């Protein structure tokens, strides 16, 4: 199907609605951080929102590679690991190095970017800018590794590419746990004490939930702009037919490498945000199952749909970590249910995923996007159809 064309007025109205809704979302997030009382509801809602925003970015970055370029890569967990470690290593305060790297004599990197900026710009602004710079560094490290391994692996196709990238992720996880690199990675021990979401504040105002949404929104917007550019059209041409794309003058290797590196950059940014969310990181946690989980979210949302990946991320995290928790409690509405025990939530969640995959074979959104311009057009059609129907039935006659 061809792309739906909207009039300039419909596009403008759609953008206005998107901006208003986004502004309302950030106001709500600010209220959650600073005004609304902390109760059982908000204590569950806030972590789901944070992790949902992080996973949205990671899933969109994977969709850029798998859905829009047609490269079946399974190395996302490895790039997230690189980003998480790069962020943590460069943001651990100097005074905490001995405690964190206690088995490696304080480590070899003994400076902190946020700490250095705090001494110049003040505690609040220094922590914010320091965290942003460390996040960018995390993305650059992940992109650098992607460029190195992309030279050999991007000449592979389909399942072979998936196996190669999966192997890379497993090798990276093993190397980061090796004590020979302990002075940098802390071996198999935890990295901690680095800047987290709770450190992002202005005076008494907290931005622990606003910050991950802000970074994720900016990154997803950049990916959307890329997809709608000439490079994005080249990515889609490669996905649809490599031979035809090459015949039209598209440099296959160059554009595959570009997509691979950019996807890895944003995966590294997502890994840094995940490190901030968890407050501690360890290489052992970045297993193959993490990549499969991200791929599952992409498939549920729709391969080739940015909005689908975002919607599926929040639904997946909410179901997995909040809405189905009562199934592990042993009771329902105060009534004891014997088979509601630890682990039953995972069983029900797996069944729900199977049902979604069976009845939505192309995902929730397929390859379509959530469009407010389309909503405006549908409303216009309803408004114009209503008077016409009234005229046909003599609706104005009293």
């Amino acid at each position: 199907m061809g792309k739906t064309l909207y009039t300039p007025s419909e596009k403008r109205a759609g953008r206005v609605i998107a901006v208003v809704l986004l502004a309302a979302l950030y106001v709500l997030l600010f209220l959650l951080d600073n005004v609304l009382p902390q109760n059982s509801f908000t204590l569950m809602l806030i972590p789901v929102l944070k992790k949902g925003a992080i996973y949205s970015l990671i899933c969109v970055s994977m969709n850029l590679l798998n859905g829009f370029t047609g490269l079946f890569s399974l190395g996302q967990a490895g790039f997230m690991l690189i980003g998480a470690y790069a962020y943590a290593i460069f943001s651990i305060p100097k005074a905490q190095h001995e405690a964190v790297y206690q088995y490696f004599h304080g480590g070899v990197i003994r400076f902190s970017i946020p700490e250095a900026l705090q001494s110049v710009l003040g505690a609040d602004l220094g922590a914010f800018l320091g965290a942003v710079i460390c996040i960018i560094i995390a993305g650059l490290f992940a992109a650098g590794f992607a460029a190195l391994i992309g030279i050999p692996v991007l000449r592979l196709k389909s399942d072979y590419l998936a196996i190669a990238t999966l192997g890379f992720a497993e090798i990276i996880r093993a190397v980061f746990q090796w004590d020979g690199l302990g002075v940098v990675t802390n071996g198999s021990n935890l990295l901690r004490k680095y800047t987290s979401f709770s450190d992002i504040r202005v005076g008494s105002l907290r931005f622990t939930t606003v910050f991950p949404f802000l970074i994720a929104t900016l990154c997803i917007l950049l990916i959307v702009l890329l997809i709608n550019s000439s490079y994005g059209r080249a990515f889609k041409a490669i996905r649809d037919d490599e031979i035809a794309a090459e015949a039209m003058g598209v440099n296959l290797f160059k554009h595959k490498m570009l997509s691979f590196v950019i996807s890895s950059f944003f995966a590294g940014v997502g890994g840094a945000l995940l490190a901030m969310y968890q407050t501690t990181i360890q290489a052992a946690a970045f297993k193959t199952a993490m990549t499969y989980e991200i791929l599952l979210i992409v498939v549920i949302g729709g391969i080739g749909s940015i909005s689908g990946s975002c919607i599926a991320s929040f639904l997946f995290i909410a179901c997995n970590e909040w809405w189905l928790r009562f199934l592990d409690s042993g009771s329902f509405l105060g009534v004891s249910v014997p088979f509601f025990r630890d682990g039953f939530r995972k069983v029900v969640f797996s069944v729900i995923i199977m049902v979604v995959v069976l009845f939505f074979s192309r995902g929730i959104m397929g390859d379509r996007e959530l469009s407010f311009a389309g909503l405006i057009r549908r409303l216009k059609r309803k408004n114009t159809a209503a008077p016409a129907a009234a005229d046909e039935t003599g609706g104005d006659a009293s």
Side-chain angles (χ1 to χ4, degrees):
M1 291 179 63
K3 185 177 179 181
T4 304
L5 298 177
Y6 299 106
T7 64
S9 62
E10 290 171 342
K11 290 180 180 179
R12 283 194 298 271
R15 292 193 191 102
V16 169
I17 293 175
V19 169
V20 169
L21 291 178
L22 196 59
L25 172 63
Y26 277 102
V27 170
L28 175 61
L29 296 174
F30 179 81
L31 294 176
L32 281 172
D33 283 339
N34 298 281
V35 178
L36 298 179
Q38 299 291 308
N39 51 42
S40 58
F41 177 78
T42 56
L43 288 175
M44 289 302 301
L45 176 63
I46 290 174
V48 167
L49 290 175
K50 290 179 184 177
K51 196 170 183 180
I54 296 167
Y55 266 61
S56 293
L57 171 57
I58 297 168
C59 291
V60 169
S61 72
M62 190 174 200
N63 213 343
L64 171 64
L65 193 61
N66 291 27
F68 288 95
T69 316
L71 299 177
F72 188 29
S73 170
L74 293 177
Q76 215 72 358
F79 297 119
M80 290 170 62
L81 184 153
I82 293 169
Y85 267 74
Y87 173 84
I89 289 168
F90 286 105
S91 61
I92 298 174
K94 184 177 180 181
Q96 300 295 339
H97 274 74
E98 289 294 338
V100 175
Y101 290 90
Q102 54 182 323
Y103 301 109
F104 300 97
H105 311 291
V108 69
I109 299 176
R110 293 176 177 254
F111 69 92
S112 165
I113 292 176
E115 191 175 48
L117 291 176
Q118 284 175 322
S119 63
V120 178
L121 303 174
D124 297 335
L125 184 58
F128 174 80
L129 289 180
V132 171
I133 291 173
C134 287
I135 288 171
I136 295 172
I137 290 173
L140 292 175
F141 266 86
F145 273 86
L148 288 176
I149 71 162
I151 296 172
V153 304
L154 289 180
R155 302 188 185 279
L156 303 173
K157 294 183 180 180
S158 188
D159 298 343
Y160 300 102
L161 175 61
I163 293 169
T165 51
L166 184 63
F168 158 76
E170 288 299 298
I171 291 170
I172 286 293
R173 184 165 64 90
V175 168
F176 271 60
Q177 295 180 87
W178 176 43
D179 285 347
L181 285 178
V183 292
V184 177
T185 64
N186 207 24
S188 58
N189 305 296
L190 292 171
L191 283 179
R192 51 196 175 88
K193 305 287 187 181
Y194 51 80
T195 305
S196 64
F197 291 145
S198 60
D199 299 315
I200 308 300
R201 59 174 63 233
V202 176
S204 60
L205 298 177
R206 299 185 299 272
F207 295 88
T208 56
T209 311
V210 173
F211 185 79
F213 267 84
L214 177 63
I215 300 298
T217 301
L218 290 175
C219 290
I220 292 173
L221 179 60
L222 289 175
I223 294 174
V224 171
L225 292 175
L226 174 66
I227 290 170
N228 291 325
S229 69
S230 59
Y231 288 103
R233 289 190 287 273
F235 295 159
K236 294 174 187 176
I238 293 172
R239 175 196 63 190
D240 295 337
D241 192 326
E242 286 192 11
I243 296 175
E246 190 172 25
M248 293 297 293
V250 175
N251 187 322
L252 296 183
F253 183 77
K254 172 188 171 182
H255 286 86
K256 285 182 179 180
M257 176 66 82
L258 186 64
S259 177
F260 191 58
V261 168
I262 293 173
S263 173
S264 302
F265 173 86
F266 288 113
V269 171
L273 292 175
L274 188 63
M276 296 182 75
Y277 170 76
Q278 294 178 339
T279 68
T280 62
I281 57 169
Q282 189 176 28
F286 292 84
K287 298 179 180 178
T288 305
M290 182 177 287
T291 297
Y292 292 154
E293 189 176 71
I294 296 164
L295 179 61
L296 176 63
I297 295 173
V298 171
V299 172
I300 291 174
I303 296 178
S305 173
I306 299 295
S307 51
S309 293
C310 296
I311 294 169
S313 296
F314 285 99
L315 290 177
F316 184 92
I317 298 299
C319 286
N320 190 34
E321 302 193 7
W322 184 13
W323 295 340
L324 300 179
R325 278 192 176 273
F326 71 94
L327 296 173
D328 290 344
S329 63
S331 63
F332 179 66
L333 299 177
V335 179
S336 178
V337 182
F339 54 85
F340 279 16
R341 60 184 67 181
D342 289 344
F344 187 65
R345 166 172 57 102
K346 295 291 185 181
V347 175
V348 174
F349 186 56
S350 301
V351 173
I352 292 173
I353 291 173
M354 290 173 61
V355 170
V356 171
V357 171
L358 285 173
F359 289 93
F360 296 90
S361 58
R362 299 185 62 209
I364 296 172
M365 295 295 294
D367 59 355
R368 293 171 288 113
E369 298 292 351
L370 189 64
S371 172
F372 293 110
L375 176 62
I376 296 295
R377 174 169 291 185
R378 285 192 291 272
L379 290 175
K380 282 183 177 179
R381 286 175 177 173
K382 285 184 179 180
N383 291 335
T384 54
D391 290 342
E392 289 177 3
T393 58
D396 292 336
S398 58

